[in-house]
Amino acid sequence: MAIKVGMVSLGCAKNQVDGEMLMASLKNAGFELSDDAALADVAIVNTCGFIESAKQESIDEILELATLKKEGRIKKLVVTGCLAERYREEIHKELPEVDGVFGIGANGDIAACIESVMEDFTECFPEKEKMPLCGDRELSTPSYFAYLKIAEGCDNRCTYCAIPMIRGGYRSRTMESIEEEARALVENGAKELILIAQDTTRYGIDLYGEYSLAKLLRRLCKIEKLHWLRVLYCYPDAITDELLDTMAEEEKIVKYIDLPLQHASGKILKAMNRRGDRQSLTALMQKIREKIPNVTLRTTLITGFPGETEEDFTELAEFVKDVQFERLGCFAYSQEENTPAAELPDQIDEDVKNHRAELIMDAQMNIMDRLGEKQVGRDIEVLTEGFDRYAECWFGRSAMDAPDIDGKVFFSAEKKPYLGQLVTVHIDEAIDCDLFGTRV
């Protein structure tokens, strides 16, 4: 009888894709897959180890499944992903309930790892570069959209970030392998593909000697049944004119750019080992909006970085007010061990960090409320994602919204849409950053 394996995948979409590849490897090796890790023989926690809150979520999930193991409901408990890679020595010591700890380099050999776990405690940490960049996937997203990872690792070395330490250097996939996977996903029903990497804008620099994201986008836009192509995690330094022209000209590319800027103070950005300042970043946002009319700009910011003064924070708050980002997330700085920023003087009090993040988000909610009101009276295209039984209406996403991080469009419809159908919705009102309307 086949061993039943289930997974809980935490953290970012990049880790989600890794988890999908792990599950496909296990299925191909003859394991039976369970949608619910709590009902499996072997429960795998594909962890995030990026910041403190994500690490805590991973630990909580491990402890919850450890309780089920103690009760005899699952037989073995395995930890993979970023937390396993980052804290390889500590996990089994601190969490003795765990039966296997595998670094990201073991992903390509996960079936043998699980078989070993069935016999005795096993840990395995091959070189990070052994992690497969592509392969079969057991999709965890609905068939109508999928993430497409175009590169792994990072060379940017931001002082607050542990990703290069966890994931290794930047490694691009070939255009051929990406296109092949994209075509298969579209044939499987994907209307939207979302390109992801730690830094998508540096795609190809290692393989082709130049920034090649624009060329890749042009190539993917030729896939016939593909409707939307979305790009996440663009680094501001590597936004080229060629990329902006491509995004403006290609109809299939949604006019949405995710640029994690992190801050606007030149002093703080320099301490983060990032380039630019308020003036240069404001100019870049203006340039993007000029080249791509009606673009949705999304960013993420960090408050409370070591040495951030009230003046630095005020500069950031004014930048947010001036630029009027359509979408924005703000997080309090997380002091991560073994990163250069963790050793900096003038660490900021937790309450101050969190309060500053709250102030930025309060201001952003007001901006988004006003932007939402501007949509009232318009007809917009919406990708249908489900039916809300409480609100008794359908919901989906517009081109302005990425899955799980942005808002929703709720709509009533006389003719029932199917999941994944693109419909036109007339917007009647905007409430709390979500839109409400009627299918045309």
Side-chain angles (χ1 to χ4, degrees):
M1 193 169 149
I3 297 167
K4 192 183 285 188
V5 180
M7 174 179 283
V8 177
S9 195
L10 303 169
C12 66
K14 300 180 288 292
N15 203 42
Q16 186 176 344
V17 170
D18 295 343
E20 292 171 351
M21 288 169 61
L22 283 178
M23 294 304 273
S25 293
L26 291 169
K27 185 179 181 180
N28 292 342
F31 289 86
E32 183 185 340
L33 303 188
S34 170
D35 290 336
D36 187 347
L39 301 177
D41 300 314
V42 180
I44 301 173
V45 185
N46 186 31
T47 57
C48 179
F50 183 42
I51 58 174
E52 192 58 43
S53 58
K55 290 186 282 188
Q56 192 56 54
E57 183 186 17
S58 296
I59 291 165
D60 290 345
E61 190 64 49
I62 293 165
L63 292 173
E64 197 172 314
L65 289 166
T67 303
L68 298 184
K69 181 189 165 190
K70 196 174 179 182
E71 292 170 0
R73 289 164 63 185
I74 59 176
K75 292 174 185 171
K76 299 289 181 179
L77 178 55
V78 169
V79 179
T80 64
C82 289
L83 196 77
E85 180 67 36
R86 187 173 181 188
Y87 297 104
R88 48 178 72 180
E89 283 85 20
E90 291 96 325
I91 287 181
H92 190 236
K93 196 187 300 179
E94 299 294 331
L95 299 163
E97 305 92 337
V98 171
D99 300 290
V101 186
F102 304 119
I104 63 169
N107 284 16
D109 205 22
I110 191 66
C113 291
I114 298 298
E115 282 167 4
S116 178
V117 160
M118 300 311 292
E119 302 297 323
D120 198 4
F121 172 77
T122 308
E123 55 185 8
C124 184
F125 303 100
E127 296 89 347
K128 299 171 178 58
E129 290 69 27
K130 286 192 174 180
M131 191 184 85
L133 293 181
C134 55
D136 291 344
R137 290 165 60 186
E138 191 70 20
L139 291 178
S140 55
T141 53
S143 61
Y144 52 80
F145 86 88
Y147 294 104
L148 183 54
K149 189 156 81 162
I150 63 173
E152 178 54 73
C154 189
D155 293 333
N156 290 331
R157 303 282 168 183
C158 302
T159 58
Y160 53 81
C161 184
I163 292 298
M165 177 170 57
I166 299 169
R167 291 277 176 171
Y170 198 81
R171 311 185 293 289
S172 301
R173 291 175 59 184
T174 64
M175 285 197 201
E176 291 77 14
S177 76
I178 295 168
E179 183 184 349
E180 184 182 355
E181 184 175 1
R183 289 188 179 278
L185 290 167
V186 170
E187 282 303 313
N188 188 52
K191 301 270 179 51
E192 177 184 23
L193 294 179
I194 303 168
L195 302 193
I196 55 172
Q198 196 61 36
D199 173 1
T200 51
T201 33
R202 274 181 172 68
Y203 169 74
I205 192 76
D206 53 322
L207 285 183
Y208 308 115
E210 62 179 4
Y211 296 147
S212 305
L213 180 59
K215 291 182 178 65
L216 176 66
L217 290 171
R218 296 267 192 204
R219 192 164 173 161
L220 296 179
C221 284
K222 292 175 182 169
I223 300 174
E224 273 186 33
K225 295 176 189 173
L226 177 62
H227 193 79
W228 282 352
L229 188 57
R230 189 182 301 273
V231 184
L232 299 185
Y233 317 129
C234 297
Y235 200 84
D237 293 6
I239 298 284
T240 62
D241 286 344
E242 183 189 13
L243 176 60
L244 295 180
D245 290 341
T246 300
M247 295 188 81
E249 292 163 12
E250 292 286 356
E251 288 183 12
K252 292 184 179 183
I253 302 175
V254 296
K255 310 315 174 201
Y256 177 108
I257 303 186
D258 179 298
L259 289 142
L261 300 179
Q262 314 305 4
H263 216 280
S265 158
K267 182 192 90 179
I268 296 298
L269 286 167
K270 188 176 181 182
M272 289 177 167
N273 194 33
R274 295 174 71 92
R275 298 182 189 90
D277 54 24
R278 179 180 174 184
Q279 187 178 357
S280 65
L281 292 176
T282 301
L284 177 60
M285 300 308 110
Q286 288 171 343
K287 179 180 179 178
I288 292 170
R289 285 186 167 140
E290 284 165 11
K291 286 210 170 236
I292 311 173
N294 300 316
V295 68
T296 296
L297 284 176
R298 178 180 174 83
T299 194
T300 48
L301 303 171
I302 296 171
T303 54
F305 188 81
E308 183 189 61
T309 62
E310 282 293 339
E311 288 77 16
D312 296 320
F313 173 68
T314 300
E315 189 172 6
L316 178 63
E318 288 174 351
F319 172 72
V320 169
K321 185 180 176 184
D322 290 346
V323 174
Q324 300 273 307
F325 291 96
E326 284 78 11
R327 304 285 184 264
L328 182 148
C330 187
F331 306 92
Y333 166 71
S334 179
Q335 187 177 6
E336 295 299 313
E337 67 268 41
N338 300 320
T339 61
E343 308 303 320
L344 288 175
D346 303 320
Q347 297 286 331
I348 310 274
D349 180 78
E350 287 295 326
D351 290 342
V352 173
K353 291 192 282 194
N354 288 313
H355 180 59
R356 288 177 179 174
E358 286 167 12
L359 290 174
I360 295 288
M361 286 312 299
D362 286 346
Q364 179 63 21
M365 294 305 276
N366 291 330
I367 292 169
M368 287 176 64
D369 280 341
R370 290 197 297 275
L371 292 171
E373 284 161 13
K374 286 184 181 176
Q375 299 299 323
V376 174
R378 294 181 180 174
D379 291 350
I380 63 174
E381 191 175 40
V382 174
L383 182 67
T384 306
E385 292 197 307
F387 185 79
D388 189 312
R389 288 179 296 169
Y390 299 103
E392 295 186 328
C393 65
W394 298 88
F395 64 87
R397 287 184 292 110
S398 73
M400 298 178 286
D401 302 300
D404 301 324
I405 55 175
D406 295 322
K408 300 279 188 193
V409 180
F410 294 87
F411 62 94
S412 56
E414 284 185 24
K415 186 181 178 186
K416 177 182 175 183
Y418 58 84
L419 298 189
Q421 184 178 357
L422 286 146
V423 298
T424 302
V425 175
H426 181 79
I427 302 303
D428 301 314
E429 59 181 333
I431 304 172
D432 295 336
C433 304
D434 290 322
L435 301 177
F436 295 79
T438 310
R439 181 181 176 183
V440 175

